[in-house]
């Protein structure tokens, strides 16, 4: 009887591990995010026990702080800003927070903007005020772009040394896997985005579109996120990123992963949208 019980317990453990791995792949589950963040699209961190989130088009003009138990700790209405299509969050070394309002599915927008906010960790009340960094892609000549030239949607950016680096989401038909790289200054103003070149992730439409990006605190590692894949760049010159080598990792999930940020130089926080009752989760991942 003891042998049978032991075998039964082992089977239960194996089934549990299989279930966990099949649902979250290589990602470590942290918590379920609040229902109000069903369409979360950007994440940024200031502490090791909570993160800030935004949602994309059609949702409120809010930033929301959530802890690792899935509880909302703080929320601000962003003044002087409108959620046309908020797609990513990033922060700088001074604590400023940036919202990328550059979602552009049909490559037809002429009102692309990044909102610059003061450090939300030290703000009080229920409102926070944004400055505007507006920009355009000089290489785009048609609005909307022709289907084979729809490279001007974006869901990914990070801050480094006074610049915001933007990686576009390829919506061209046929799909090429190319992501264009641009940068704009991090100061209030209106700019022509500086084109730095392009990189190619892979050729599968479902998993190879770039949905978020970040750079490690020490500035030595860049990560790009897709819907189930992660690309790591560890030896690079930011002004010459297209010459860098991408290391691809299959995260073994196929949920709509939308957000990634570094907690430290080797640990990532990731989140996904809720789709067909899957997702709306917060995860951790340690770089190999």
């Amino acid at each position: 009887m003891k042998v049978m019980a032991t075998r039964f317990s082992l089977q239960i453990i194996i089934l549990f591990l299989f279930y966990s791995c099949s649902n979250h792949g290589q990602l470590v589950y942290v918590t379920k995010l609040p229902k109000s963040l069903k369409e979360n699209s950007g994440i940024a961190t200031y502490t090791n026990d909570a993160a800030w989130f935004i949602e994309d088009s059609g949702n409120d003009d809010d930033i929301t702080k959530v802890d690792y138990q899935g509880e909302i700790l703080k929320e601000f209405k962003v003044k002087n800003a409108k959620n046309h299509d908020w797609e990513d969050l990033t922060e700088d070394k001074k604590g400023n927070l940036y919202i990328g309002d550059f979602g552009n599915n049909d490559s037809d927008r002429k009102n692309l903007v990044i909102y610059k906010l003061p450090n939300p960790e030290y703000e009080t009340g229920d409102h926070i005020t944004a400055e505007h960094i507006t920009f355009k892609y000089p290489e785009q000549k048609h609005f909307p772009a022709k289907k084979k030239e729809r490279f001007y949607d974006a869901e990914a950016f990070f801050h480094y040394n006074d610049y915001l680096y933007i990686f576009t989401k390829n919506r061209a038909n046929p799909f090429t896997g190319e992501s264009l790289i641009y940068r704009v200054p991090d100061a209030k103003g209106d700019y022509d985005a500086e084109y730095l070149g392009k990189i190619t992730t892979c050729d599968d439409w479902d998993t190879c579109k770039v949905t978020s990006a970040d750079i490690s605190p020490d500035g030595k590692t860049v990560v790009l996120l897709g819907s189930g894949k992660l690309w790591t760049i560890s030896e690079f010159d930011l002004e010459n990123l297209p010459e860098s080598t991408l290391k691809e990792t299959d995260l073994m999930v196929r949920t709509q992963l939308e957000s990634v940020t570094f907690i430290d130089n080797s640990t990532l926080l990731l989140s996904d949208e809720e789709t067909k009752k899957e997702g709306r989760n917060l995860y951790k991942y340690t770089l190999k």
Side-chain angles (χ1 to χ4, degrees):
M1 294 294 292
K2 289 184 178 179
V3 173
M4 291 181 63
T6 301
R7 287 177 178 173
F8 180 75
S9 298
L10 182 59
Q11 289 174 341
I12 294 296
I13 293 171
I14 291 172
L15 286 172
F16 173 77
L17 291 174
F18 175 79
Y19 178 83
S20 298
C21 292
S22 64
N23 278 269
H24 306 308
Q26 297 195 54
L27 303 178
V28 177
Y29 175 81
V30 177
T31 192
K32 179 70 71 174
L33 294 172
K35 291 182 179 180
S36 60
L37 293 174
K38 176 181 177 180
E39 297 184 12
N40 67 90
S41 60
I43 183 174
T45 56
Y46 291 88
T47 64
N48 291 327
D49 58 359
W52 289 89
F53 294 88
I54 55 170
E55 290 193 287
D56 57 19
S57 60
N59 290 288
D60 294 334
D61 312 326
D62 296 339
I63 59 171
T64 305
K65 184 179 181 180
V66 178
D67 66 17
Y68 287 2
Q69 287 72 50
E71 299 296 326
I72 294 177
L73 303 181
K74 190 181 293 187
E75 193 165 61
F76 289 116
K77 178 72 68 177
V78 183
K79 295 179 64 177
N80 194 31
K82 180 65 179 175
N83 188 346
H84 187 107
D85 196 357
W86 294 4
E87 287 291 359
D88 207 4
L89 274 179
T90 192
E91 75 282 355
D92 64 24
K93 297 290 187 182
K94 298 177 182 177
N96 298 303
L97 185 66
Y98 301 84
I99 301 171
D101 189 352
F102 40 44
N104 190 16
N105 290 4
D106 297 323
S107 290
D108 60 353
R109 286 184 62 181
K110 294 184 178 181
N111 60 343
L112 302 172
V113 59
I114 295 169
Y115 296 117
K116 182 177 183 178
L117 314 178
N119 189 332
E121 295 287 330
Y122 300 115
E123 293 293 304
T124 58
D126 57 6
H127 289 75
I128 190 168
T129 302
E131 294 182 348
H132 291 202
I133 301 169
T134 57
F135 68 96
K136 64 178 179 293
Y137 303 113
E139 287 70 28
Q140 183 175 1
K141 305 303 180 184
H142 302 97
F143 296 83
K146 299 176 182 178
K147 290 186 178 180
K148 66 180 180 180
E149 299 173 351
R150 291 191 178 178
F151 303 113
Y152 301 103
D153 184 21
E155 295 188 3
F157 76 147
F158 61 74
H159 180 278
Y160 191 76
N161 280 358
D162 303 323
Y163 283 95
L164 294 155
Y165 290 80
I166 302 167
F167 298 81
T168 69
K169 181 178 183 179
N170 190 317
R171 290 187 178 273
N173 187 9
F175 179 72
T176 63
E178 295 174 340
S179 173
L180 309 186
I181 308 171
Y182 286 90
R183 71 176 184 180
V184 296
D186 66 3
K188 178 182 177 180
D190 184 40
Y191 302 98
D192 283 349
E194 179 185 358
Y195 177 62
L196 299 179
K198 59 188 177 183
I199 56 175
T200 301
T201 54
C202 52
D203 60 7
D204 174 41
W205 162 256
D206 291 327
T207 59
C208 300
K209 305 180 297 294
V210 178
T211 60
S212 188
D214 202 15
I215 189 168
S216 58
D218 62 8
K220 294 182 178 180
T221 306
V222 167
V223 292
L224 306 177
L225 182 66
S227 294
K229 293 189 177 181
L230 185 77
W231 296 273
T232 308
I233 310 172
S234 56
E235 295 182 7
F236 56 86
D237 172 2
L238 281 177
E239 294 189 10
N240 199 26
L241 271 175
E243 300 301 317
S244 304
T245 300
L246 277 68
K247 176 185 175 183
E248 180 182 298
T249 300
D250 192 332
L251 299 173
M252 306 303 292
V253 294
R254 292 297 181 263
T255 58
Q256 193 171 336
L257 289 168
E258 288 282 336
S259 309
V260 65
T261 188
F262 277 91
I263 302 174
D264 54 43
N265 292 322
S266 60
T267 310
L268 304 174
L269 270 186
L270 307 93
S271 65
D272 50 15
E273 286 194 12
E274 181 178 309
T275 305
K276 297 179 180 179
K277 297 185 179 180
E278 289 188 331
R280 190 166 47 91
N281 297 322
L282 183 64
Y283 309 96
K284 281 186 180 180
Y285 179 76
T286 301
L287 296 176
K288 306 294 190 294

